[in-house]
Amino acid sequence: MKSYKIAVIKGDGIGPEIIDEAIKVLDAVSVKKEFELNYEEYLMGGAAIDITGEPLPKETIEGCLNSDAVLFGAIGGEKWDNLPRDKRPETGLLKLREALGVFANIRPVTVYDELTEASTLKESVVKGVDLTVVRELTGGIYFGQPRAIEGDRAYNTMVYTKEEVERIARVAFDIAMKRNKRVCSVDKANVLEVSQFWREIVQEVAKDYPEVSLSHMYVDNAAMQLVRDPKQFDVILTGNIFGDILSDEASMISGSIGLLPSASIGGRVGLYEPIHGSAPDIAGQGIANPIAAIASASMMLRYSLGEEKAANRIDNAIKRALREGYRTKDLSAFGAKEVCSTSEMGSIIAQYASEGS
Ligand code: NAD
């Protein structure tokens, strides 16, 4: 039997509550004895600061690097907001991403049929949306040199190397091959040289994927098209700053922050986390929606462990729970037959996942 080492970072606020449910569901699919998961818990964020004084202790970095994947909840809270920047919880997460070398951020946006009403967009616009944003995470203007504030001027630099564009494009094309085989590369090639370069490299990479159809879109148009007709997209491939903005915009199409997972991959070890934060306002009440964390666990099975069948079982179990009217409090206004707690929702999904074929 295959056996995998999973580093678990529960973090702060609702982090521990939702990660416990993700593990419950993972155990339910691995119980089929096709593979075994061994978890090791590590500290990061506020929980780590309280015990060690550091947001990302050395043992956490080493433990994560020696694992097959990292499953992470969320970090942060008011208690640590006034610490100096390098001691704050968020610094821990940024440093962990860097240590793992993850350069591709993947955010699928699925609109579940039962929850179309939860979106601020019209039902006819969002029904059936199923897209994935692939964002380059470690290059572009957020990291480019030179950068400075100098007297009465300031500047940043948007740089991409051939290697950086090639590797993120490959991630997007590989994902498209497992989906509907369409990639839309988003840039600003009408104005920026770096975008013209990006476009040329993406076109080169596309030659290795003859089954995938490639289109290009300027970022201003993409921002508009995402709210006009999001169904037109399958995989959106884009750079760091455009991806930062577009992935947040895309996440709102689904209407609920508690549903959306993410993966950061491409480095030594993949990192899987819900897109939401630690939600201190609802922590400890047993009302957090665990679906984003559970869907992140499913992405971990798919992208880091290659356990596609088990990932599908989880995705189908989430859909079934929603179809049958189970809702956590955040979604209770949208077709709830039964409002359940965080742990009840986890148990229902775990049960359906273990029944799935
Ligand atoms: P947040 O995502 O934690 O919460 C925003 C709103 O969404 C809150 O009303 C919250 O109750 C609700 N919400 C979030 N997740 C939910 C879930 N699973 N189920 C039901 N409702 C949910 O964002 P925020 O309030 O801006 O930030 C709170 C803390 O989280 C801050 O310290 C922030 O720095 C941190 N944060 C961490 C991460 C991360 O760990 N990756 C990401 C964003 C924010």
Side-chain angles (χ1 to χ4, degrees), residues 78-97:
E78 226 173 273
K79 181 175 173 194
W80 306 282
D81 276 352
N82 294 322
L83 293 171
R85 181 160 294 280
D86 65 326
K87 295 282 178 206
R88 285 172 56 157
E90 306 86 290
T91 306
L93 180 55
L94 291 177
K95 285 194 172 152
L96 179 65
R97 286 182 182 146

Side-chain angles (χ1 to χ4, degrees), residues 65 68 97-106 134-138 163-164 167-172 174-175 263-272 303-304:
L65 284 172
D68 294 300
R97 286 182 182 146
E98 197 183 322
L100 299 178
V102 285
F103 65 81
N105 184 247
I106 319 238
V134 176
R135 164 189 169 195
E136 201 287 328
L137 199 58
T138 54
E163 190 208 338
E164 282 172 328
R167 65 185 188 177
I168 189 72
R170 285 196 191 282
V171 170
D174 286 338
I175 289 175
S264 299
I265 60 170
R268 275 173 64 183
V269 182
L271 174 68
Y272 299 85
Y303 291 115
S304 277

Side-chain angles (χ1 to χ4, degrees), residues 14 18 44 72-78 80-81 88-90 93 97 256-259 273-283 287-293 328-330:
I14 61 169
I18 54 166
M44 187 168 79
F72 162 54
I75 46 163
E78 226 173 273
W80 306 282
D81 276 352
R88 285 172 56 157
E90 306 86 290
L93 180 55
R97 286 182 182 146
S256 173
I257 197 166
L259 294 173
E273 56 178 304
I275 71 157
H276 60 72
S278 58
D281 53 331
I282 57 165
I287 57 171
N289 190 339
I291 290 181
T328 39
K329 194 169 168 230
D330 51 319

